[in-house]
Amino acid sequence: MVRSPALATRAVHAGRDDLTDLGVHAVPLDLSTTYPARDSAAEAARLDVFATGEQPSGYPIYGRVANPTVQRFEAALAELEGCQAAVAFATGMAALSGCLLAAVAAGRPHVVGVRPLYGTSDHLLDSGLLGIRVSWVAAAGQVAAALRGDTGLVVVESPANPTLTEIDLSVLAADCGEVPLLVDNTFATPVLQRPAEHGARLVLHSATKFLGGHGDVMGGIVACDEDRARTLRQIRYATGAILHPLAGYLLLRGLATLPVRVRAASTTAAELADRLAAHPRVSAVHYPARRPGRPAGQLDGGGALVSFEVTGDARAVVSAVRLITPTVSLGSVDTLIQHPASLTHRILAAADRQASGISDRLLRMSVGLEDVEDLWTDLDQALTTHPEEGHP
Ligand SMILES: *Cc1c(COP(=O)(O)O)cnc(C)c1O
């Protein structure tokens, strides 16, 4: 029996299988907005096919329909997630919007969301902007009771942002029955977790984070079966949220180093989580691999994010770091730290933040590729010098 290539191998070769036959080594970057053709009748016939969401062979007719460089990134991410297809969008939020519009278009505008979610995802669902009606639940076990006849989607993150709580996806997928389960896999990446193996029908990424990996490209992508991909392509074509070709190029390049980056950062994150747990100024550490009773066989290791609560003013720690970058976002080569209550989850009502475990003392750190001792030196000085409560 031929052994199928490991994920690390596929990350380097997926989406690039034809390059040798093309006689090139780097992926061709196609920036065309339009594709000339002399035979209008033939083009019209192809356009009809594209309009159904299918992707016939040959060049797309117009840059909003599809792009060859972006298609390579889509094929590669689909392969890594173990899905038939993937559809790339301009940002993670555009990708989520596409999934919500698909539910609305199917006449099922009710969505069940498990909190906490990424702050803007929470806002988009809560705002009703796209005609969505949301029911929030605080735990995956409450999803089944919240489903209705018009429920078109269940939306979860695992590990969740910013508390890093995990959901048993196989149990939840069974509870969802016919209703598609969307798992935002931004934090885990396909290196550590492949939600489709556990029954998720839609796997979403903010590609802006680990997939790009260098803090210099925005994108979103949804991996799913070909049926759902057709609908998402129709929506993307009509609403215009396609990924830029240069972003597709950079994201495909990012995938090649994704396994190495994520595993290295996770090893450092685990070590920092242990040291933080023993620090006198740290009152709690939230790190998946250190939690009892986690879902078995789902998230491989703990990931590159560590959240922790401090005894004094958490914002002062963000001000005091010197090597670590004080900023929102995550998944970059450098280590980033931010205060969720002030920034990423500011948009939530204070009561909803508290109910989701996002206290004012919580910090979220996305660990990068620096040396662990250098990171610890910086964290320790920032924690030790930050003012005690009452002496800001
Ligand atoms: C950043 C992020 C998003 C939104 O992605 P953008 O690319 O910023 O639009 C969605 N979900 C999670 C978990 C994120 O971290």
Side-chain angles (χ1 to χ4, degrees):
M1 203 180 92
V2 182
R3 183 177 173 274
S4 61
L7 186 119
T9 305
R10 285 182 281 141
V12 173
H13 291 281
R16 301 170 181 83
D17 301 334
D18 58 334
L19 294 190
T20 297
D21 289 336
L22 284 176
V24 297
H25 193 213
V27 168
L29 169 55
D30 182 346
L31 291 168
S32 301
T33 56
T34 187
Y35 295 87
R38 297 197 193 278
D39 184 344
S40 297
E43 282 297 87
R46 289 181 73 245
L47 194 54
D48 288 343
V49 179
F50 274 119
T52 67
E54 272 180 54
Q55 305 248 281
S57 61
Y59 285 105
I61 290 149
Y62 185 59
R64 184 163 23 79
V65 176
N67 171 272
T69 309
V70 170
Q71 283 172 324
R72 289 177 181 276
F73 168 57
E74 292 174 332
L77 193 276
E79 191 176 326
L80 296 185
E81 286 289 3
C83 293
Q84 285 177 338
V87 184
F89 291 84
T91 65
M93 291 316 303
L96 180 59
S97 299
C99 297
L100 296 176
L101 287 170
V104 173
R108 294 168 172 272
H110 178 247
V111 174
V112 178
V114 180
R115 274 180 167 151
L117 294 179
Y118 177 74
T120 313
S121 303
D122 189 301
H123 171 65
L124 178 63
L125 291 176
D126 216 41
S127 65
L129 269 176
L130 299 175
I132 285 291
R133 293 288 167 264
V134 71
S135 296
W136 291 112
V137 296
Q142 298 162 13
V143 167
L147 297 176
R148 311 194 314 213
D150 64 343
T151 307
L153 204 58
V154 173
V155 178
V156 304
E157 282 175 27
S158 181
N161 185 359
T163 53
L164 308 180
T165 43
E166 287 181 84
I167 289 171
D168 190 321
L169 297 176
S170 303
V171 171
L172 177 57
D175 283 353
C176 289
E178 290 303 301
V179 178
L181 170 63
L182 181 153
V183 176
D184 185 329
N185 203 31
T186 300
F187 275 33
T189 83
V191 176
L192 303 182
Q193 172 176 280
R194 288 164 301 281
E197 291 174 359
H198 305 282
R201 309 266 182 84
L202 297 149
V203 180
L204 184 140
H205 283 273
S206 168
T208 312
K209 315 296 169 50
F210 289 101
L211 304 191
H214 295 72
D216 58 4
V217 55
M218 295 202 80
I221 190 160
V222 183
C224 54
D225 62 23
E226 177 56 27
D227 258 7
R228 289 179 213 281
R230 271 197 290 272
T231 304
L232 290 174
R233 288 186 206 111
Q234 283 180 310
I235 289 170
R236 184 181 66 178
Y237 172 52
T239 59
I242 194 168
L243 186 71
H244 189 273
L246 180 56
Y249 178 91
L250 290 170
L251 291 170
L252 183 61
R253 184 161 81 165
L255 288 187
T257 54
L258 183 71
V260 175
R261 285 186 285 108
V262 168
R263 293 214 180 272
S266 299
T267 302
T268 306
E271 174 64 25
L272 293 176
D274 286 344
R275 294 193 194 184
L276 283 167
H279 197 284
R281 292 283 176 86
V282 174
S283 53
V285 174
H286 306 284
Y287 190 63
R290 299 290 179 269
R291 274 212 183 91
R294 346 169 33 205
Q298 190 173 290
L299 180 70
D300 179 12
L305 280 112
V306 182
S307 292
F308 57 100
E309 291 170 50
V310 296
T311 55
D313 179 5
R315 284 173 300 188
V317 179
V318 175
S319 310
V321 290
R322 288 294 170 263
L323 177 69
I324 296 170
T325 312
T327 185
V328 294
S329 197
L330 57 119
S332 186
V333 284
D334 55 329
T335 297
L336 320 177
I337 196 165
Q338 64 108 9
H339 184 234
S342 298
L343 297 169
T344 51
H345 292 73
R346 181 181 187 76
I347 204 156
L348 272 72
D352 292 337
R353 269 204 304 272
Q354 295 299 332
S356 303
I358 308 166
S359 85
D360 287 351
R361 299 179 171 210
L362 185 77
L363 292 168
R364 189 194 73 192
M365 181 167 67
S366 166
V367 176
L369 300 179
E370 300 94 333
D371 182 83
V372 65
E373 298 303 335
D374 293 329
L375 288 173
W376 180 247
T377 301
D378 192 32
L379 267 179
D380 184 42
Q381 69 78 21
L383 284 164
T384 307
T385 58
H386 90 275
E388 282 286 9
E389 205 155 29
H391 305 279

